[in-house]
Amino acid sequence: MIHNCVIVGSGPAGYTAAIYAARANMAPVLYTGHEPGGQLMITTDVENFPGYPDGIMGPEMMADLRKQAERFDTKIVSDMITKVDFSGPVHKLWSESGEEIHAHSVIISTGASAKWLGLESEQKFMNIGVSACAVCDGFFFRGMEVAVVGGGDSAAEEASYLSKLCPKVHLLVRRDELRASKIMQERVIKAENIEIHWNTSTQEIFGTDEGVEGVRVINNITKETSEIPVKGFFVAIGHTPNTKIFDDWLDQDDTGYLKVTPGSTLTNREGVFASGDAQDRIYRQAITAAGTGCMAALDAERYLTEKGII
Ligand code: NDP
């Protein structure tokens, strides 16, 4: 069987593509990947998605999007696409469970994943003190001191969130300024229990088999090292696009974001369309992801119509 349209990924881009493709009678099949719902599943309040004047919780919004996609007969498969072959007119995909899938068109919406510092101790204490998601793990550290690494909106958001649970949050910023938006910067600077350590990099996380006891940091200007006692260490230093499996087939920029023809979702392979964070290194918002998911479905529909497939 050759599907009209296979969608890879289940964030706002994937589900929006599914809603549009399903309503255009393309009978889309969506593969969710390992983390159904994508990055919004680890977000609390989404206050900037139009249509929710009081905000909405990320997981609730993703549940709604999924429901909306299913309402129009999208087939949703809980499996991970691990390999693709975009060489022929019919595209091939393989899933982790061993299924071989054939499709006339493919919409990629695989999103992006959190980056790590790359320290050995970060691995050692993973899930017993080290985390990339305050919303998921912050609760375990209530009443304890914690550190957050990063200077962007993610770090500011994580620090603000943790400041409501923890008596003290140390924000470790490698330069002398934050990259975060003005409003997020203000929130962090105003919070009495967030201490910003400027020009500070993490050298090592230390602790016992039970968990993290602290972090050794270095001041990048004075080269002085010091230790901060913390039980939780949250990494919020940005994201990497989930595009590795497309390396052999699709053009990417130097950091792995998929290249598309400007103003469209067309990749360098006919019938393969890219949407969401996998192709967006600049905006990376739920609303822009949803917008490009819509574009990808419309581009795929046009492609299938031109080929006389639907
Ligand atoms: P960013 O790329 O914006 O920021 C990454 C931060 O981590 C930078 O401050 C960077 O430092 C720092 N960093 C990178 N590598 C290291 C390292 N090895 N050691 C220490 N620090 C490091 O990523 P974000 O995830 O914060 O944000 C991504 C996008 O998502 C942005 O467009 C942001 O606006 C958006 N976003 C929006 C939110 C909202 O609106 N509520 C919430 C979260 C994200 P440096 O500045 O020195 O490069």
Side-chain angles (χ1 to χ4, degrees):
M1 176 184 184
I2 306 174
H3 297 294
N4 287 331
C5 180
V6 164
I7 299 167
V8 188
S10 57
Y15 284 139
T16 305
I19 293 164
Y20 274 78
R23 293 186 78 257
N25 268 346
M26 288 156 69
V29 182
L30 181 150
Y31 285 78
T32 62
H34 283 150
E35 289 154 16
Q39 292 181 73
L40 277 179
M41 296 303 282
I42 56 170
T43 304
T44 44
D45 278 329
V46 180
E47 294 177 336
N48 51 12
F49 200 95
Y52 296 101
D54 301 319
I56 183 166
M57 300 300 274
E60 202 182 326
M61 188 169 110
M62 295 320 296
D64 282 350
L65 279 176
R66 180 179 175 133
K67 219 190 293 170
Q68 197 173 351
E70 283 176 324
R71 181 180 152 209
F72 298 111
D73 292 333
T74 300
K75 186 178 171 202
I76 296 181
V77 184
S78 300
D79 206 350
M80 177 87 178
I81 300 298
T82 52
K83 194 178 145 195
V84 299
D85 178 342
F86 293 155
S87 59
V90 173
H91 302 303
K92 293 181 191 157
L93 306 93
W94 288 266
S95 77
E96 199 168 60
S97 68
E99 193 189 355
E100 179 173 325
I101 305 134
H102 293 185
H104 291 297
S105 74
V106 176
I107 294 176
I108 296 166
S109 45
T110 46
S113 296
K115 276 188 195 165
W116 297 96
L117 294 173
L119 300 172
E120 221 171 89
S121 50
E122 188 180 47
Q123 282 301 317
K124 185 174 160 194
F125 293 108
M126 191 70 69
N127 299 326
I128 53 164
V130 172
S131 166
C133 175
V135 174
C136 319
D137 302 325
F139 189 70
F140 301 120
F141 302 97
R142 64 196 188 283
M144 303 175 198
E145 279 195 35
V146 295
V148 175
V149 186
D153 278 327
S154 296
E157 198 174 63
E158 302 263 286
S160 296
Y161 180 81
L162 289 165
S163 71
K164 291 167 200 147
L165 295 173
C166 305
K168 178 127 190 200
V169 178
H170 300 269
L171 182 60
L172 312 178
V173 181
R174 67 177 175 184
R175 292 187 294 129
D176 61 356
E177 62 177 355
L178 294 167
R179 183 189 290 272
S181 54
K182 279 280 171 283
I183 186 168
M184 295 300 282
Q185 291 199 23
E186 274 168 25
R187 214 170 278 180
V188 165
I189 289 164
K190 267 193 200 154
E192 280 178 5
N193 61 341
I194 299 178
E195 183 181 346
I196 305 179
H197 300 255
W198 301 107
N199 301 305
T200 299
S201 289
T202 307
Q203 281 191 324
E204 216 57 69
I205 303 147
F206 56 86
T208 64
D209 289 348
E210 305 290 297
V212 170
E213 295 288 330
V215 57
R216 188 165 49 251
V217 297
I218 182 164
N219 182 299
N220 298 322
I221 309 288
T222 63
K223 302 297 173 204
E224 255 177 60
T225 61
S226 57
E227 289 182 358
I228 308 171
V230 292
K231 296 284 187 196
F233 183 83
F234 292 85
V235 181
I237 59 168
H239 294 84
T240 308
N242 300 320
T243 55
K244 196 94 199 89
I245 58 166
F246 309 114
D247 281 1
D248 291 342
W249 306 105
L250 301 181
D251 291 345
Q252 303 173 8
D253 73 9
D254 54 355
T255 48
Y257 286 91
L258 299 176
K259 283 189 180 172
V260 291
T261 306
S264 79
T265 62
L266 274 60
T267 68
N268 56 304
R269 293 275 164 179
E270 265 208 339
V272 180
F273 307 91
S275 62
D277 286 11
Q279 55 81 53
D280 174 15
R281 65 179 299 168
I282 298 169
Y283 302 104
R284 295 179 290 184
Q285 300 299 301
I287 186 69
T288 51
T292 54
C294 158
M295 287 166 65
L298 296 178
D299 286 341
E301 184 201 355
R302 193 165 304 133
Y303 170 78
L304 295 174
T305 304
E306 276 168 12
K307 293 280 173 196
I309 294 166
I310 58 170

